[in-house]
DNA sequence: TTGACAACATACTCGGTAGTATGTTCACAA
DNA sequence: TTGTGAACATACTACCGAGTATGTTGTCAA
């Protein structure tokens, strides 16, 4: 049922963060609730006090990941920018999120996989389906800008749905191989952000830069 | 240790196919050996007669997927084509493979995930690492054409490694959402092939088409 | 024709983990 | 000061599934 998460609920927050790290490092199935508890220097009791099942915990982590992404992109969408600049700003912000919140983003990836795999129980299916809607909404924000840009003649593509998938495929890619640098100062983030954003833009651009 | 798979080994072939389907539908962890056996109208005994562990079976399925891809692309690489046409031909063939062999391609995806997650035992890590090398070799085929095209002035990008990742990210994308049509005649494959190939080409193109 | 091995099937073990049942402690309220 | 519930810890159960040990059947070779 997972209540609409009261903000600043520190009880859950620490658990979510620990779970995100565990899921990132070992994947959903291979992560035991005990492992999550260990990372908190606590025991199962603490986790099960807040979550009724492992699946619900996972969903909450997933949801947190989507909240991070949506709350970053939504304000940009609402800004008054020309489509080209808007998409570029959105893209850069998205890639930065990928790099800055690797743990949550990997969980989001796993959620997609789980959805493909087909969750076991009907209740789980339903939960996952609603999470996927969030994801589609997110994709819709990009699609919307793309369509607008096409009307203005700055973008070119046939199927808007395919185009948004292609763009996000590029922007999500770093999640598949990026590993955190120990040196926080020059972490190479900007190079990745710039380059993958450029690829994404080119992909649907009507005219060359 | 999995011998260098004698071709036409029908004993393993049926198992590999069944396992690919199971892994696609339920994912690695949620697939039991019994489930694979059931799909063959057989029992565990048959599977364990050919494979020492579930992991080894998975690796063999993964390897089969890579063989499908490599054996499709390699001949194209060796053809004498200009870089643009070569990349286009490779891309189309790749996307077709994605759609035609969904089960194996999903397993390849899961393999990447497993590698990120970090397999449990050292032996598994080593196995996965060697499989990832195959994958990198495959990516190398694309990178090679990209670099060649850049010299000819038809492609433009900074980091060749990033560029090849971006291109393949697009071409792999359909695996994440495509679902087999019941109607084999008009399955919509060609539309997907054409469109995603175009996005991939645009992504690194120096001049507009 | 026999015996040796491949190709399975059957019947078990056993560890790991999700979930539960039941303490224990502390804060705060009446 | 007591009692009530939140926030955990401890100790347990129950099951699932990987792997094993041991049949059983057919085939082919000497």
């Amino acid at each position: 049922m997972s209540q609409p998460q009261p903000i600043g609920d520190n009880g859950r927050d620490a658990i979510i963060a620990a779970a995100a790290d565990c899921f990132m490092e070992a994947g959903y199935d291979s992560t035991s609730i005990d492992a999550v508890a260990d990372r908190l220097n606590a025991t199962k009791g603490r986790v099960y006090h807040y979550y009724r099942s492992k699946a619900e915990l996972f969903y909450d982590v997933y949801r947190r990941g989507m909240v991070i992404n949506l709350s970053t992109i939504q304000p940009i969408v609402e800004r008054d920018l020309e489509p080209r600049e808007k998409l570029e700003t959105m893209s850069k912000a998205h890639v930065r999120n990928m790099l800055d919140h690797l743990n949550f983003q990997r969980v989001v990836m796993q959620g997609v996989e789980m959805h493909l795999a087909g969750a076991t129980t009907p209740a789980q299916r339903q939960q996952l389906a609603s999470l996927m809607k969030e994801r589609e909404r997110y994709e819709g924000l990009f699609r919307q800008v793309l369509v607008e840009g096409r009307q203005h003649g700055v973008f070119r593509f046939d199927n808007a749905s395919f185009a948004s998938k292609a763009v996000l495929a590029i922007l999500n890619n770093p999640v598949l191989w990026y590993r955190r640098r120990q040196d926080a100062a020059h972490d190479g983030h900007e190079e990745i952000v710039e380059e993958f954003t450029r690829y994404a833009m080119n992909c649907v651009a009507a005219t060359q830069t």
Side-chain angles (χ1 to χ4, degrees), chain A:
Chain A
M1 292 296 143
S2 68
Q3 316 305 330
Q5 45 189 10
I7 298 175
D9 183 342
N10 277 322
R12 291 177 206 262
D13 276 358
I15 298 175
I16 289 177
D21 290 339
C22 289
F23 288 146
M24 171 177 74
E25 290 174 8
Y28 178 76
D29 290 280
S30 301
T31 295
S32 68
I33 298 289
D34 291 293
V36 175
D38 280 356
R39 188 167 293 235
L40 293 165
N41 291 324
T43 65
K44 290 172 91 143
R46 181 162 169 195
V47 177
Y48 277 103
H49 179 67
Y50 293 96
Y51 293 97
R52 309 181 73 185
S53 72
K54 185 178 169 183
E56 261 193 29
L57 173 56
F58 179 84
Y59 298 147
D60 225 29
V61 176
Y62 183 103
R63 205 173 293 123
R64 183 63 59 96
M66 287 308 299
V67 167
I68 291 173
N69 294 346
L70 276 166
S71 67
T72 306
I73 297 301
Q74 189 78 49
I76 301 176
V77 170
E78 284 159 6
R79 247 188 264 170
D80 188 32
L81 297 170
E82 347 144 23
R84 244 203 88 86
E85 196 182 348
K86 185 179 282 191
L87 180 61
E88 190 176 341
T89 310
M90 290 167 69
S91 297
K92 287 186 179 178
H94 181 86
V95 177
R96 272 195 208 98
N97 268 343
M98 296 301 115
L99 303 177
D100 290 341
H101 307 288
L102 248 191
N103 47 359
F104 288 101
Q105 306 302 341
R106 287 250 176 90
V107 169
V108 170
M109 275 198 48
Q110 287 176 38
V112 176
E113 280 261 349
M114 280 181 59
H115 183 243
L116 285 173
T120 17
T121 81
Q124 285 184 13
R125 283 191 156 286
Q126 204 170 359
Q127 273 276 9
L128 264 178
S130 96
L131 293 180
M132 289 305 136
K133 271 199 176 167
E134 282 294 282
R135 193 186 162 68
E136 279 162 32
R137 208 183 101 205
Y138 187 75
E139 194 178 308
L141 295 179
F142 281 80
R143 192 166 54 240
Q144 177 185 319
V145 181
L146 286 172
V147 169
E148 195 186 342
R150 180 167 61 179
Q151 286 164 352
H152 290 218
V154 298
F155 298 146
R156 192 179 53 173
F157 52 84
D158 286 351
N159 186 318
S161 176
F162 289 177
S164 64
K165 284 181 195 310
V167 166
L168 279 169
I170 294 180
L171 300 177
N172 284 330
N173 181 261
V175 174
L176 288 175
W177 49 264
Y178 179 74
R179 287 168 192 282
R180 205 163 209 81
R181 289 251 142 253
Q182 58 287 17
D183 185 1
H186 6 68
D187 47 16
H189 280 200
E190 278 316 301
E191 186 195 348
I192 297 172
V193 168
E194 292 291 334
E195 197 146 342
F196 279 84
T197 295
R198 206 175 320 136
Y199 294 138
M201 300 295 294
N202 279 345
C203 171
V204 291
T207 66
Q208 207 71 7
T209 322

